[in-house]
Amino acid sequence: MLDRRLPAPLTLTALAVVIGILVTTPLLINNNVFHHTLILIGIYAALAQAWNILGGFAGQISLGNAIFFGIGAYTSSLLLVRAQLSPWLGALAGMALAMVLALLIGYPVFRLAGHYLAIATIALAEIALVVFQNLEFVGGAAGISLPITRDMQGRPTDSWWMLQFNSSKLPYVYLALGVLGVVQVVATLLDRSWIGFFLRAIKNDQTAAAAIGVPVARYKLIALLISSACTALIGTFYAQYLLFVDPETVFGLSLSVLIALVAILGGAGSLWGPFLGAVVLIPLAEATRSQLGGRGTAFDLVIYGLLIMVIAVFQPAGLTGLPERFRPRQRTSVAPAAPADTQMEESLRS
Amino acid sequence: MSLLEVTDLTMAFGGLVANDRISFTLHEGEVLGVIGPNGAGKTTLFACIAGFLKPTRGQVRFAGEDITGMRPDRICRRGLVRTFQIVRALPDLTVLQNVMVGAFLRTHAMREARQIAEEVLAFTGLEARAHTPGKNLTIADKKRLEVARALATQPRLLMLDEVMSGLNAQERQQAVTLVRAIQRRGISILLIEHIMDVLLPLSNRVLVLNYGKKIAEGSPDSITRNPEVIAAYLGSSYASPS
Ligand SMILES: Nc1ncnc2c1ncn2[C@@H]1O[C@H](COP(=O)(O)OP(=O)(O)O)[C@@H](O)[C@H]1O
Ligand SMILES: [Mg+2]
C-alpha cells in the first residue's frame, strides 16, 4: 500500500533481482528434484497469494480454499478426458465454476455478521471430498489419470496447446512461475487501487468502513471471487503437472490449511509474504514429507495447525513483519499518553 | 428547504426505549444541536438515522427520499455521513489512507482520491499527521480524523457525535473553529454535545433529549430559559465544561 513501500528504485531493483534469479537458476541447476521444488514453491506461493487477497487484505479467513483448487483441477481434467478440450479452455471453465460457487457461498455468508466463511468453506470442501470419492463419473476415490499427449509415432511429446511436457520439467517451472507472476500482479494492482483500500478498511473496522460509504458485503464478495478464480487456475495447472487428480489431494483439509499457513507464516496482508512463506516452508514440508512418508495424514494437519497458532501468538505479522520487530522504536510523543486517553474514552462511553 | 425529516422515530432495545417518538426537521445549511444527559438517546438517534440501527417505528427522510432502514454505505452515498463518539480510526492505515477510503466513495482514481484527501487534511489541520498510522494518534487527532474522513465523502449533511468531548480547552476551540468552517462550506450539520456551553453558540437551533424523549426544541436562547431543560440539567455537571 502507499507510503509503506520501499522507495520505488529500490523496490524495482529488488524485483528485478528476484525475477532474474527465478528465471536463470532453473537453467543453471538442471536437476529434477530442484525443478520439482521450484514448481511447488511457485504453486504454493500463488495459492497463498490468492488466499492473501481474501484473508490478508480483507481479513476474511477461508480454511477451505481447496474447494476452488479442486474445482479447477477436476473441471479441466474432466473436460480433457471426456471431450479432449485443451486445458487452457478447461482452466477458464474451472475459474468460471469456482466463481459461481464463490458467489453461492459468499452471498449468504457475507450478509451475516461473524466468521462463517471459515466454517462454510471447510464444510463445502469436506462435502466435495466425500462426493468426489463416491462418484464413479469423476473417477471416485482413485481419481483420474490424464492421457499422455503423443506424436504421430505414438511417442510422448510436448504440447503448449495441451499444456503437457513429457521431455523435461523445465516448461512446468516457467509455467509455475508464470502463474505466480499473474497472481502476484493481480494482488499488486488490487493493493494499489480503491479495492485494496476498501478491503483493508473492511479488515480494520467494517463498521467504520460502512459509515464512510464502503459496501462491505459487496467488496468481501469481490475478494472471494478473485481469490477463487486464481485458486481454480492454479488447480488446473497442478493437474496438468501431475497428470493426475484425486479427491484427497485436491479437496483435502490439509491442503486448505497449508495454503493459509504459507500466507500467515510469510505475513498475511503483505504483498511478498506469501512468496516468502512458500520459499521457507515448502522445501521444509517436502523434506519432512519424504522423511515421514505419505501425505494427507492427520499428522501434517496437527503440525500446520500448531504452527499457525504459534505464529498468531508470537509473530502475527509473519516473516515480512520481522524487520519491523527488531527496528529501534520510533520516537512517538503519543505513546505515553495512550492509557489516559483510553480511560477518558471509557468514561465517555454512554 | 428541509434536508432531513425525522418522524415519530422510536428505537426500543427490548424493554428500554432509547428513542421515543422523536420528530424533527433539519433545514439545508443549518447547524442543529442535539443535547441531553448521558443515556438520553443521542447516539442511538444517530445510529437510526445513518442506517446502523433499524428503528422500531418511524421514518427518516433525507433530501426528499425515505431512507429508513437503508444500509449505511447507501445512505452515505446519498450525502449523509456520521462520525463515531467512540472513535474508530482504521488502526493499520495512515491518516492519509484513512481519509482516502472516504474519498474513494466519489472517485475510483487513485490520484484524485489522494488530492481530495490532502485537501481535507489541510482543511482539518491534520497534514502533519498524514503518514501516522491511525493507531498511533492522540485522542484529539482521532476525533479530528473522524471528521476528516467523513468530509472526504463530500456529504450534504454531517452528523458529529461528541467530537469535542475529552478535548482540552485549546483543542476544543480548534474544533469549534472547524465546525464553523464546515458550515461556511455549505454543509449542514447535526451536532451532538452534552456540554451546553460548547453546543449553544454553534447551533442555529437546538433539540433537547431526555430519557429518549424530545423535551424541547428551539433557538439556543429559548432552550436555556426552558424550565424542563433546566430541570433535566439541574445539579448535573453537563451545563459547563468539566
Ligand atoms: N445496542 C444497545 N443495546 C441495548 N441498549 C442500548 C444500546 N445502545 C444504547 N443503549 C441504551 O440506550 C440508551 C441511550 O443510549 P445512547 O443513545 O448511547 O445515549 P447518549 O448518546 O445520549 O448518551 C442508554 O440507556 C443505553 O444504555
Ligand atoms: Mg452518545
Side-chain angles (χ1 to χ4, degrees), chain A residues 350, chain B residues 13 16 18 36-45 53 85 161-162:
Chain A
S350 55
Chain B
F13 299 111
L16 184 115
N38 269 342
K42 304 181 296 293
T43 298
T44 303
L45 179 64
L53 288 173
Q85 177 179 3
D161 194 350
E162 307 222 6

Side-chain angles (χ1 to χ4, degrees), chain B residues 96-145:
Chain B
L96 179 67
Q97 291 166 345
N98 263 273
V99 179
M100 281 174 76
V101 174
F104 278 126
L105 178 64
R106 304 293 175 201
T107 174
H108 284 166
M110 181 69 75
R111 185 181 299 182
E112 202 181 335
R114 196 178 169 122
Q115 224 164 8
I116 295 171
E118 280 169 349
E119 196 266 335
V120 169
L121 289 185
F123 180 71
T124 51
L126 273 171
E127 314 105 304
R129 293 272 166 277
H131 301 294
T132 308
K135 57 178 170 243
N136 294 349
L137 294 174
T138 61
I139 190 77
D141 284 340
K142 278 183 181 166
K143 296 228 163 194
R144 223 187 292 203
L145 177 56

Side-chain angles (χ1 to χ4, degrees), chain A residues 132-342:
Chain A
F132 275 73
Q133 279 173 337
N134 290 288
L135 256 190
E136 275 320 307
F137 175 75
V138 297
I144 312 172
S145 289
L146 303 186
I148 305 284
T149 306
R150 296 176 188 280
D151 62 12
M152 298 298 191
Q153 282 79 37
R155 287 175 307 217
T157 183
D158 292 355
S159 161
W160 278 94
W161 176 239
M162 293 317 278
L163 203 58
Q164 197 178 116
F165 306 92
N166 292 297
S167 57
S168 150
K169 278 189 195 295
L170 207 54
Y172 286 115
V173 173
Y174 289 119
L175 273 167
L177 296 178
V179 171
L180 171 60
V182 168
V183 181
Q184 193 70 19
V185 166
V186 168
T188 306
L189 290 178
L190 282 176
D191 189 49
R192 301 199 178 156
S193 74
W194 83 94
I195 302 177
F197 276 73
F198 280 8
L199 297 184
R200 288 179 196 276
I202 290 168
K203 180 190 187 179
N204 271 249
D205 183 340
Q206 59 180 42
T207 304
I212 50 174
V214 177
V216 172
R218 184 187 315 159
Y219 277 82
K220 285 180 184 173
L221 193 55
I222 288 174
L224 179 62
L225 287 172
I226 296 170
S227 183
S228 67
C230 291
T231 305
L233 172 68
I234 305 160
T236 293
F237 172 73
Y238 186 76
Q240 287 303 122
Y241 173 54
L242 291 190
L243 295 178
F244 175 70
V245 212
D246 74 289
E248 183 59 47
T249 309
V250 299
F251 286 122
L253 184 59
S254 73
L255 173 63
S256 289
V257 176
L258 183 55
I259 292 172
L261 173 59
V262 168
I264 291 169
L265 172 71
S270 98
L271 267 181
W272 289 97
F275 177 67
L276 204 60
V279 168
V280 171
L281 194 65
I282 297 308
L284 275 176
E286 278 303 292
T288 49
R289 180 186 305 166
S290 46
Q291 288 297 305
L292 300 170
R295 151 135 183 214
T297 55
F299 189 65
D300 281 356
L301 212 52
V302 171
I303 302 275
Y304 299 159
L306 280 176
L307 268 173
I308 289 181
M309 284 196 278
V310 168
I311 299 164
V313 170
F314 294 105
Q315 181 57 22
L319 294 173
T320 50
L322 282 176
E324 194 72 33
R325 186 172 190 142
F326 294 112
R327 186 177 297 167
R329 280 223 157 208
Q330 283 183 330
R331 304 157 281 121
T332 44
S333 53
V334 178
D341 285 335
T342 318

Side-chain angles (χ1 to χ4, degrees), chain B residues 36 84 214:
Chain B
F84 292 95
K214 181 172 95 173

